[in-house]
Amino acid sequence: MRRTVRYPVEGSNSLWQVYKTVSFWKVVKCFIIIQIARITPFMSVKNWMYRTFLHMKIGKQTSFALMVMPDTMFPEKISVGNNSIIGYNTTILAHEYLIHEYRLGDVIIGDEVMIGANSTILPGVIIEDGAIVSAGSLVHKDVPAGALVGGNPMRVIYTKEEMEERARN
């Protein structure tokens, strides 16, 4: 199970009550910063914007490709290690609004992780060092170190040991 904290709501669905859970002005600020960063071609500027204005934890030489969409409501819950690549149009969520509750969870992406284009990472997930997530994957559970995973829903394609064996041959 993903590491999320559940917050029950009463009456209308949780998304209808969104501004009881997060400030409207925070969402506006985050949305504007993210939209600018999504099209910024300079990795160092993009990472500086994420660190400075959104309080995301971004490691050295990490690259966010064009159109990556970090969480607009709780970006401070996202952490990415050193020398990782987040592929084109990937979405990283730290929240999920449901009918009777909303959930929040940290997303931790390790060092030297590669996430393929058009992937979605759900809240409460840890992607360990050296993992590879294939393009178009729905990351709904933790990814072990060095593993190659992919699909919707995501599954382990090769473990770290199998990847090392493949590299030797």
Side-chain angles (χ1 to χ4, degrees), residues 9 33 82-83 109 116 144:
V9 298
I33 298 299
N82 297 315
N83 204 35
I109 300 170

Side-chain angles (χ1 to χ4, degrees), residues 16 36-37 46 50 63 72-73 84 88 92 97 114 119 121 144:
W16 188 259
I36 293 167
K46 192 178 297 206
Y50 288 154
S63 300
T72 56
M73 296 178 190
S84 290
Y88 174 85
I92 306 172
Y97 285 91
M114 193 177 106
S119 293
I121 302 167

Side-chain angles (χ1 to χ4, degrees), residues 34-104:
I34 289 168
Q35 291 306 314
I36 293 167
R38 289 181 83 190
I39 59 172
T40 298
F42 306 106
M43 299 301 163
S44 60
V45 173
K46 192 178 297 206
N47 289 352
W48 173 80
M49 291 173 69
Y50 288 154
R51 288 181 193 117
T52 303
F53 300 113
L54 304 183
H55 308 291
M56 291 170 60
K57 294 160 216 68
I58 309 295
K60 294 177 183 171
Q61 297 177 322
T62 283
S63 300
F64 287 82
L66 185 68
M67 302 306 286
V68 169
M69 188 70 187
D71 194 287
T72 56
M73 296 178 190
F74 302 96
E76 69 278 4
K77 293 187 164 293
I78 298 170
S79 172
V80 183
N82 297 315
N83 204 35
S84 290
I85 297 174
I86 313 299
Y88 174 85
N89 206 38
T90 290
T91 301
I92 306 172
L93 296 172
H95 77 275
E96 49 192 8
Y97 285 91
L98 307 171
I99 300 295
H100 300 291
E101 68 183 12
Y102 68 99
R103 299 176 190 165
L104 303 178

Side-chain angles (χ1 to χ4, degrees), residues 121-155:
I121 302 167
L122 295 181
V125 166
I126 296 174
I127 302 174
E128 295 184 18
D129 296 346
I132 300 170
V133 175
S134 71
S137 296
L138 174 64
V139 182
H140 68 292
K141 60 184 178 179
D142 292 350
V143 178
L148 170 63
V149 302
N152 182 359
M154 177 209 88
R155 65 178 182 84

Side-chain angles (χ1 to χ4, degrees), residues 14-38:
S14 63
L15 190 54
W16 188 259
Q17 303 178 42
V18 66
Y19 298 117
K20 292 178 184 177
T21 65
V22 63
S23 159
F24 170 79
W25 295 110
K26 177 185 178 186
V27 174
V28 168
K29 177 191 87 168
C30 291
F31 182 79
I32 291 168
I33 298 299
I34 289 168
Q35 291 306 314
I36 293 167
R38 289 181 83 190

